[in-house]
Amino acid sequence: MNKKNSEGSNAINRRNFLKLGAAGAAIGAVAFPAKAKEEIINKINEKTAGDFIKTHDKFPYEINEDYKPHSNKDIMFTGSFWNFHSEDEDVINSGKEFSYKTFMHFEEKKGFDQLSKAMNAGGWALHNTVSPLGSQAISGSGILKWDQYRKKEGEFIPHHDWINESQYQFGNKQEAADAIKRAARLYGADLVGITHRDKRWDYTDFVDAQAIMEGRHEDAVYGWERFPFEPKSVIVMAFEMDYEAIATAPTDIQGAGAGAEYSSMTKTAYQLSIFLKQLGYHAIPCSNDTGLSIPYAIAAGLGEGSRMGNLITYKYGPRVRLAKVYTDFDFTEYDKPIEFGAMEFCKNCMRCADACPGKAISFDKEPSFYPTHENKDNAWYNAQGIKKYYMDAKKCFHTWGEFGTDCGSCMASCPYNKPDFWHHRLVDKITAAMPGPVHDFMREMDELFGYGDVGNLEKIDVFYNPKGRSYNGH
Amino acid sequence: MVFTGTETLFFLLGIITTLFILGLIKYNKQLKFNALSWALLGTGSFLCIFCIAWSVSAVLEGVPRAASMGMVVFGIPSLLMLLLGRRFAIKKSK
Ligand code: SF4
Ligand code: SF4
């Protein structure tokens, strides 16, 4: 995993407190010059990180033999917006409601008024202009196109969106991984991991929105034969969403927080694909399209699965969006899945399930191989056969339709969603080191201490407060 | 601002920690703490410093409820420990 590039700022950063140790931090802040302190921090971190973050050689969750890769037609958005599940009326209606309300503002409803809608529109603007269907899981949208152009002799193409004839050779695999990750962070990713391409996580087919719009329904779905190369690696990137924006869930300001990162990830994934093309390799930037982002992110060591279904990262909790780049470059060091206790914590926590206005999140104590929710017999939208918590995406989408925005209450309520602050990192580490029964207590304390309440309109005032949180002092 | 809220906090915590240590050394010279007093005063001092760190940080991040809870959960036990430790130390020295 990589660190956010703003970490070099004045704020004492994410892991430093424990690196220093509780009392040592206080003394260290006074007594050591910055360079010496950094060295001590690194040493202690090296010694302690392994105790809390375990790595796995294989995908960390059990998968049944009957697991089938997911079809692009069975994603909630394609099922609804592109009518692949027209038999599911609720899903179709939720899509209509959602689209309709997206363009309306309600002055009497704080968080859904013109100001909030404008904030939301601005957040999504870049995504909506340059890759409008990426978030709907449709491949090849706008700059996320599958083109692998080879420049002709003498041709002048200043945007560099073509594959260089000369293939750059890295000295070793680590050097290659470091360079790819550095590029991704330079372009705007907060976390980066590299994993093998895994057909289990790729969509089995692809929806052709253009063909549907042109009335060519027989061409509405196509297969991997159109994919322009054999992918070998998938680079997965996570983008931190604004803490104060997500805390306002379920409002349009929360939606703006999500949209801002959809815009960032489109830009970053595209830039990273150009980097790889200019190194002489094939590359395709992806948003929610082409494959399931969450299992790919787990495989790439970015975080763990969770009760709410989202990825939980060590650094930002569930408050991230994910993008991918498929490439045929494979001379690289691959990352391993990590475990820091999030799935274990989920067994006792259930705060997201309590907070979910749509009652879409499971209250089951243990994860299961198949959905257990009330729509389980027609859960075409769940990728089934993996041991996990099954979220009822239909109910979730219904709630989005009611709000006209993408809710996000689950993320806002999660104890792993905290601003970058030493005492939260300390609690995270203690949580990871503690056995299950203590997690109940930690969850209660989190609530008592006043974190993670959703639907609190004061959070909107905090979002707009020009002083903001003063921990970074600026 | 040159220093952030957190940096200022940790600078002050450094000073407070030093004062606590000096205080413990000074009173140990006078009262000759036994193991129980050391345990109570040491833990109490650590909790007290932790309480200051937690509560100020919670105010800085804009969650005053976490600050007050911090005072209850860490502050009250720390005061009790410091008072008890002092009492044992004085009793023993008499
Ligand atoms: S986004 Fe909202 S409705 Fe959907 S699962 Fe999360 S809390 Fe529930
Ligand atoms: S809120 Fe609790 S149960 Fe839900 S994902 Fe976060 S840690 Fe897991």
Side-chain angles (χ1 to χ4, degrees), chain A residues 9-11 466-474, chain B residues 1-5 7:
Chain A
S9 72
N10 282 343
K467 282 194 190 145
R469 280 156 199 271
S470 51
Y471 55 80
N472 59 12
H474 302 291
Chain B
M1 263 213 311
V2 178
F3 296 108
T4 66
E7 284 165 349

Side-chain angles (χ1 to χ4, degrees), chain A residues 307-322:
Chain A
R307 178 178 294 280
M308 70 172 81
N310 290 13
L311 178 81
I312 299 212
T313 64
Y314 180 67
K315 190 166 175 184
Y316 308 110
R319 195 170 28 91
V320 292
R321 294 285 160 182
L322 300 169

Side-chain angles (χ1 to χ4, degrees), chain A residues 237-252:
Chain A
M237 294 168 282
F239 298 79
E240 182 200 7
M241 292 184 281
D242 186 274
Y243 179 83
E244 282 80 12
I246 298 304
T248 67
T251 68
D252 268 302

Side-chain angles (χ1 to χ4, degrees), chain A residues 402-457:
Chain A
E402 282 177 4
F403 289 129
T405 186
D406 49 1
C407 182
S409 302
C410 42
M411 281 185 287
S413 70
C414 180
Y416 281 95
N417 167 39
K418 289 286 187 297
D420 187 7
F421 220 71
W422 71 267
H423 52 312
H424 301 309
R425 301 193 291 277
L426 176 67
V427 172
D428 283 354
K429 292 232 174 184
I430 293 172
T431 304
M434 291 290 165
V438 183
H439 294 172
D440 253 342
F441 171 74
M442 306 290 270
R443 175 220 136 108
E444 294 305 323
M445 291 307 274
D446 194 69
E447 210 165 343
L448 266 178
F449 273 62
Y451 295 108
D453 57 330
V454 292
N456 176 352
L457 294 180

Side-chain angles (χ1 to χ4, degrees), chain A residues 250 308 352 355-361 391-392 395-397 399-400 403 406-411:
Chain A
M308 70 172 81
C352 51
C356 175
K359 298 281 158 264
I361 299 174
M391 198 267 276
D392 191 345
K395 284 192 187 166
C396 171
F397 197 49
T399 312
W400 289 23
F403 289 129
D406 49 1
C407 182
S409 302
C410 42
M411 281 185 287

